[in-house]
Amino acid sequence: MPAAAETLASTELSPAELAAWKKDGFHVHGKLFDDAELEVLRAACEGVIDGRHETGSPPDGSYWRQASHPLAVRKFDNAWKADRTIEACVTSERLGRICAQLLGAPGIRLWHDQIAYKPPGGGHVVTWHQDWAYWQVVAECETVTCWIALDDVTADQGPMVFMAGSHRLGLFELPRHISGNNEEKPDLPEELGLREVPALLKAGEVSFHHGKTLHGSGMNHSPRWRKGLVSHAISSACTYRLHPRGHPNETWMKRCAEYPQPGESWRGPQFPMLWPKP
Ligand SMILES: O=C(O)CCC(=O)C(=O)O
């Protein structure tokens, strides 16, 4: 995907940005995808939501169907397998280079992507959670989620909200329902004074959060769709461990010719490199 470099933010992070990441567990970056790229990305995501698969393959995980609740978030995992434009975006070197600096990692792989389209007029909440709690088969919490705004995201649209500093508190229980009541929030001591920070993004901007950062999103009260595309990324040094929670990637990767055994680093075509490019 060629970039119009003059309109895009640098992928070099400053010492102040890295210090804020360490303290807060999230980072909001300037525009990394230009308007022409965003237009084709929106069309690609809408195609997948409507069941059109440019490559002939469906996404690995479809959590939304025509019969689902009309206000449910349209969620699809590994949509990159269905569409090459989505693939180029979620495996973009721009994202990978930023993740590598945030984690101090030798390289960055895709764990999985996710389309996250929240309908207007009351689109559902996403309950407070930590991403790594769902990914216990990744032995090390060397993970970053990149949330790409395909349109402007405003306060009335149910933007993602981060609990600044929560990544330093350890791992909490999983919420009972990932989409439900956003007040289902772990008990956090008042004296910690943790701030809730909404990620209000312009189209093409990207928020990055750590695998243990508590986050969620409220209802979309606006008349506009809230359009997000997510690249969940891991350090190339992360290893596979067996865990009772398991993860669908364990099934999906076994459709490929190459995949890791427990104890090995994640590898194979299920987990493409973002940075450095092979
Ligand atoms: O899109 C949302 O509202 C939530 C997304 C999320 O939880 C994530 O990307 O980790």
Side-chain angles (χ1 to χ4, degrees):
M1 197 183 281
E6 71 279 9
T7 64
L8 300 182
S10 160
T11 56
E12 184 77 33
L13 296 178
S14 67
E17 286 172 318
L18 289 171
W21 162 264
K22 274 211 164 70
K23 175 170 160 282
D24 294 331
F26 70 90
H27 164 70
V28 175
H29 208 83
K31 194 172 174 89
L32 288 172
F33 297 92
D34 67 32
D35 291 344
E37 290 172 319
L38 294 172
E39 195 176 329
V40 286
L41 278 166
R42 286 191 298 266
C45 289
E46 280 141 40
V48 172
I49 293 170
D50 290 343
R52 294 190 301 277
H53 306 135
E54 184 229 357
T55 60
S57 303
D60 282 335
S62 299
Y63 305 108
W64 183 85
R65 300 203 155 72
Q66 294 295 340
S68 300
H69 192 289
L71 293 175
V73 180
R74 275 47 168 177
K75 276 208 299 185
F76 296 82
D77 280 0
N78 288 329
W80 68 271
K81 293 192 178 173
D83 191 284
R84 291 177 189 88
T85 303
I86 295 177
E87 178 181 9
C89 174
V90 299
T91 63
S92 152
E93 202 169 4
R94 296 169 229 173
L95 300 177
R97 184 154 186 270
I98 291 172
C99 291
Q101 293 168 79
L102 293 173
L103 293 176
I108 297 293
R109 283 188 186 276
L110 182 67
W111 175 239
H112 67 82
D113 69 16
Q114 189 163 83
I115 292 176
Y117 267 45
K118 194 179 285 205
H124 287 171
V125 305
V126 176
T127 312
W128 290 98
H129 67 281
Q130 296 162 301
D131 293 340
W132 189 54
Y134 291 92
W135 306 337
Q136 288 295 291
V137 296
V138 179
E140 303 79 13
C141 187
E142 295 291 316
T143 76
V144 184
T145 290
C146 321
W147 200 100
I148 304 151
L150 301 185
D151 255 342
D152 291 355
V153 180
T154 53
D156 56 349
Q157 278 187 303
M160 254 207 308
V161 181
F162 300 118
M163 188 76 75
S166 54
H167 66 304
R168 292 186 266 117
L169 300 179
L171 214 49
F172 297 93
E173 288 296 304
L174 291 182
R176 276 166 301 157
H177 305 288
I178 185 64
S179 194
N181 175 359
N182 213 29
E183 293 309 309
E184 193 191 317
K185 184 158 44 173
D187 264 339
L188 298 169
E190 193 87 350
E191 59 272 21
L192 291 177
L194 298 178
R195 285 173 303 131
E196 294 182 16
V197 184
L200 305 182
L201 303 172
K202 291 283 179 207
E205 294 182 343
V206 182
S207 69
F208 295 81
H209 65 266
H210 185 273
K212 283 193 284 188
T213 302
L214 276 167
H215 61 287
S217 63
M219 283 168 75
N220 181 0
H221 294 293
S222 83
R224 288 159 288 112
W225 282 84
R226 193 218 61 177
K227 301 180 178 181
L229 178 61
V230 180
S231 178
H232 293 298
I234 60 175
S235 163
S236 57
C238 284
T239 58
Y240 174 24
R241 71 170 171 198
L242 295 175
H243 189 277
R245 255 174 222 171
H247 190 279
N249 263 338
E250 292 173 287
T251 305
W252 299 332
M253 73 183 182
K254 289 179 185 159
R255 299 177 190 149
C256 304
E258 186 196 352
Y259 55 86
Q261 298 301 317
E264 293 180 347
S265 302
W266 296 94
R267 61 184 165 83
Q270 181 73 23
F271 310 105
M273 290 295 291
L274 279 68
W275 190 88
K277 285 292 180 193

